[in-house]
Amino acid sequence: MIELKSPEEIQRMAVTGQFVGELLADLREVAAVGVNLMDLEHHARRRIKERGAESCYWDYAPSFGRGPFRNVLCLSVNDAVLHGLPHDYVLRDGDLLSIDMAVGIDGWVADSALSVIVGTPAPEDLKLIEATEVALTAAIDAAQPGRQLGDVSAAIGEVAHRYGYQVNNEFGGHGIGRTMHEAPHVANKGRPGRGMTLKPGLTIAIEPWFCRSTDKIKFDEDGWTIRSADGSRTAHSEHTVAITEAGPQVLTTRPGQDTRPADRSGQSATTS
């Protein structure tokens, strides 16, 4: 069942989204060569506790996981792209780190992710991250009231194709609101003009993720961490978005970030 939110409820989600955006921006600055992944995890735990928020990840136990998730962040390094289990690993120069988090405040949830290169960036890694960010912007621009969900998915797939990446559709975006995962599923490729009509009040997490040279994935023995099947590097970008009468509203904007939709001349706003 899809629950449409009122403008007041969307505003409450935006309060949560502001905190998520601020914390992700903070973590992006904390991540550096020589920093342990567990330092990032404990930094986030402290900030979440201070805010009086609740992690949506803690004790999360879907069918694919091995036991409940006992962390507040997903930290995925290099060929890991989703659900990376924080562990004792010290970041090295050139590592590509994806940070994903979802929290609830006063019963309303927001979810967001970003990828960042620690230390010296390789051009091919910058391109990969850029592709996910451009795809996210294109998908947000497509999330207009009256259009179809397939338009959002198709926008992601079109950007991936333009950059030369394949798309895996096993994991994608989702509805969000009172809980982290609600209907509908938001695939990362699809056909325009298909699927449900986007109505004001719909709130979704849009999250393009790409592997550099494959669309196949594999799981670590921990049952959580998802990697590219061929060991190539990966990247992931995500925002929580509300469909409103005036158009898409990004609820997880990070400080200093421009998330305005692309204008009709084709110039896209950045989502980095």
Side-chain angles (χ1 to χ4, degrees):
M1 178 179 176
I2 296 173
E3 177 190 8
L4 300 180
K5 284 75 175 180
S6 68
E8 293 74 20
E9 289 170 333
I10 289 173
Q11 182 54 42
R12 293 177 69 183
M13 287 182 66
V15 171
T16 308
Q18 180 180 0
F19 172 72
V20 169
E22 290 173 351
L23 181 48
L24 272 177
D26 185 20
L27 290 165
R28 184 177 198 164
E29 296 303 314
V30 174
V33 175
V35 171
N36 195 297
L37 293 183
M38 293 309 299
D39 293 335
L40 296 173
E41 167 70 17
H42 288 289
H43 181 85
R45 289 186 194 181
R46 183 171 59 254
R47 287 283 308 275
I48 290 170
K49 182 178 180 180
E50 289 171 351
R51 180 59 179 81
E54 294 184 2
S55 170
C56 298
Y57 292 172
W58 196 271
D59 279 343
Y60 179 52
S63 59
F64 61 82
R66 184 169 297 170
F69 198 84
R70 290 295 175 87
N71 295 278
V72 303
L73 297 176
C74 289
L75 298 172
S76 305
V77 181
N78 295 334
D79 62 326
V81 63
L82 297 173
H83 310 152
L85 198 65
H87 61 285
D88 183 15
Y89 175 83
V90 176
L91 291 167
R92 304 168 184 171
D93 186 48
D95 277 346
L96 198 165
L97 172 67
S98 296
I99 308 173
D100 191 359
M101 63 172 293
V103 304
I105 296 176
D106 297 329
W108 294 97
V109 173
D111 188 2
S112 188
L114 58 79
S115 291
V116 61
I117 298 167
V118 177
T120 309
E124 57 269 26
D125 291 339
L126 291 173
K127 176 187 173 184
L128 184 61
I129 294 173
E130 177 184 279
T132 65
E133 294 175 339
V134 172
L136 180 55
T137 296
I140 293 169
D141 188 33
Q144 302 289 339
R147 294 185 68 178
Q148 315 307 126
L149 187 60
D151 297 329
V152 176
S153 300
I156 295 172
E158 288 166 4
V159 171
H161 178 74
R162 189 164 73 243
Y163 274 81
Y165 303 126
Q166 302 176 67
V167 177
N168 177 291
N169 243 1
E170 295 175 65
F171 293 89
H174 48 88
I176 188 170
R178 298 179 189 273
T179 61
M180 177 170 59
H181 287 145
E182 300 179 355
H185 174 69
V186 184
N188 282 335
K189 62 180 177 181
R191 298 177 64 181
R194 299 295 183 91
M196 64 174 286
T197 300
L198 302 177
K199 298 180 180 180
L202 178 67
T203 48
I204 53 177
I206 304 173
E207 50 178 313
W209 58 274
F210 306 142
C211 306
R212 184 184 296 164
S213 56
T214 185
D215 61 353
K216 302 297 190 296
I217 57 174
K218 62 182 179 180
F219 285 80
D220 276 5
E221 291 185 2
D222 62 30
W224 286 101
T225 306
I226 298 176
R227 300 182 184 274
S228 62
D230 63 357
S232 61
R233 289 201 167 187
T234 64
H236 178 204
S237 295
E238 178 182 16
H239 271 311
T240 295
V241 179
I243 312 302
T244 75
E245 294 282 1
Q249 177 185 351
V250 177
L251 304 182
T252 47
T253 306
R254 295 186 282 278
Q257 181 181 30
D258 184 356
T259 52
R260 292 171 298 179
D263 64 29
R264 297 310 167 195
S265 67
Q267 298 296 315
S268 295
T270 181
T271 60
S272 61

